[in-house]
Amino acid sequence: NAGVTQTPKFQVLKTGQSMTLQCAQDMNHEYMSWYRQDPGMGLRLIHYSVGAGITDQGEVPNGYNVSRSTTEDFPLRLLSAAPSQTSVYFCASSYRGLAYNEQFFGPGTRLTVL
Amino acid sequence: AQTVTQSQPEMSVQEAETVTLSCTYDTSENNYYLFWYKQPPSRQMILVIRQEAYKQQNATENRFSVNFQKAAKSFSLKISDSQLGDTAMYFCAFMKQANSKLTFGKGITLSVRP
């Protein structure tokens, strides 16, 4: 199992450019989510999905779009990058159900918007 | 909405000694989960320990243990016999129900001195 993978690891964008951060998992997890980590702010939830075709907003969704067409993939799209989106982005996934299942995190993508 | 507060931005401890990291949270829920995550310089998020709110017994994982005070909404992490590899940022996190969104504190940077 590769676990949770994220690409790219690093990215530099200019203001106004668009890009997609990729997240994939091979564990057949229903639940997937995106967080951003900023200095002194911890991790904050951007968007999440409880299964293919179902997404919802988290705490800081503005400026980001997501879709979930397959169980494995959960891409995060920046339509028009802004310097305020400079951050480290983490994808996470877990099984669903009533009993607790550990969330697994990807290695993160460091994004810089100039 | 839930909030998680880590008021100490950084701490330092001598190798082999014990250190306690503090965390408080606010919720109106009765059943929930609390976590401590470790983030070493590699940036990978690593689950250290988990506590279910319905369990009175404090969770323990080898050198890591928690002091869970439900009435006080306090959840501290004790690291015994500190090792150089414990140097990392530590995040306290809250989950309202199994396999759902995580709410993180701002984190604390722990340095273990040789």
Side-chain angles (χ1 to χ4, degrees), chain A residues 46-60:
Chain A
I46 304 171
H47 285 286
Y48 66 99
S49 168
V50 298
I54 307 170
T55 64
D56 205 347
Q57 297 181 348
E59 181 186 354
V60 288

Side-chain angles (χ1 to χ4, degrees), chain A residues 1 4 16 35 37 49 53 66-67 69 76 93 96-97 103-104 106:
Chain A
N1 281 353
V4 181
Y35 294 87
Q37 180 181 8
S49 168
V66 292
S67 60
S69 56
L76 180 71
S93 74
R96 290 271 289 168
Q103 281 197 27
F104 293 90

Side-chain angles (χ1 to χ4, degrees), chain A residues 37 40 97 99 101 103 105 108, chain B residues 39 43-44 99-100 102 106:
Chain A
Q37 180 181 8
N101 292 287
Q103 281 197 27
F105 283 80
Chain B
Q39 187 181 46
R43 205 167 64 197
Q44 183 67 47
N99 313 313
S100 66
L102 283 163
K106 294 183 178 181

Side-chain angles (χ1 to χ4, degrees), chain B residues 53-98:
Chain B
Y54 66 87
K55 291 185 177 179
Q56 293 187 344
Q57 187 171 5
N58 288 327
T60 298
E61 289 286 344
N62 300 315
R63 297 183 296 108
F64 299 88
S65 61
V66 299
N67 183 3
F68 173 49
Q69 301 288 329
K70 190 173 183 180
K73 296 180 181 173
S74 170
F75 183 61
S76 60
L77 175 70
K78 185 172 82 171
I79 306 175
S80 303
D81 185 26
S82 296
Q83 300 176 358
L84 297 178
D86 295 332
T87 292
M89 180 162 279
Y90 287 82
F91 293 97
C92 180
F94 173 99
M95 180 186 284
K96 188 167 82 170
Q97 60 191 53

